[in-house]
Structure formats: C-alpha cells, structure tokens
Amino acid sequence: AKYTRVNQDTCIACGACQASAPDIFDCDGEEIAFSLIDENKGIRPIPEALLEDLEDAYMGCPTESIEVAEHPLVDGIKEQ
Ligand code: F3S
C-alpha cells in the first residue's frame, strides 16, 4: 500500500498535484495543497485505482512536496 501527504512547508501552491490527482489532492483556503484521503495525515492507504494519479502528482510537483511512502507517515512518536 502507498501513503501520501503534502509537505506544506515547501508547497508553493502551484496546483499541479490537484490537476494530476483531483481525487487525492486539494487546496485549502490559502491554496496550499493537502491530501483529501486523510486530511493530509498520510495514514490511510491510497486506493489502488488512484495510484497512477499519485505517481503523476509525485513526479510533477516542482518542489518535491509530495511525500509518498509504503508505510503510514507519522511525525515523531507513533500514534497509539
Ligand atoms: Fe504544492 Fe507541489 Fe501540489 S507545490 S500545490 S504540492 S504540486
């Protein structure tokens, strides 16, 4: 399974990820992107049908702000 989230510190709100993968990424009020899958937590597996879109978004982000991993992305100490 794959997990994703946007690094919002480096996202420049170019919107490419939303264009490539509208079912995965969206932009908040300040137009910084986030993952719709799990409120940008990176803890819910991306559905198989969306993996190609995810790859496109990952490759297309000009600031490499899209994090993709094969394990849940959790900051610091693991939840629970
Ligand atoms: Fe931001 Fe990259 Fe998307 S700069 S808007 S995460 S393509």
Side-chain angles (χ1 to χ4, degrees):
K2 296 249 176 151
Y3 302 81
T4 190
R5 72 181 171 194
V6 174
N7 180 340
Q8 297 185 319
D9 293 333
T10 57
C11 170
I12 55 168
C14 77
C17 54
Q18 190 178 12
S20 300
D23 295 325
I24 304 176
F25 300 105
D26 201 352
C27 297
D28 69 16
E30 294 169 299
E31 301 299 315
I32 296 299
F34 63 95
S35 162
L36 292 162
I37 301 291
D38 51 18
E39 297 174 328
N40 210 46
K41 294 194 180 88
I43 56 174
R44 280 185 60 189
I46 306 303
E48 286 285 324
L50 298 179
L51 290 180
E52 212 164 299
D53 283 0
L54 175 63
E55 180 72 11
D56 288 348
Y58 175 73
M59 298 297 288
C61 177
T63 58
E64 297 180 8
S65 300
I66 296 181
E67 300 176 22
V68 176
E70 297 187 355
H71 52 81
L73 291 154
V74 181
D75 282 322
I77 305 160
K78 289 220 160 85
E79 286 174 24
Q80 291 165 1

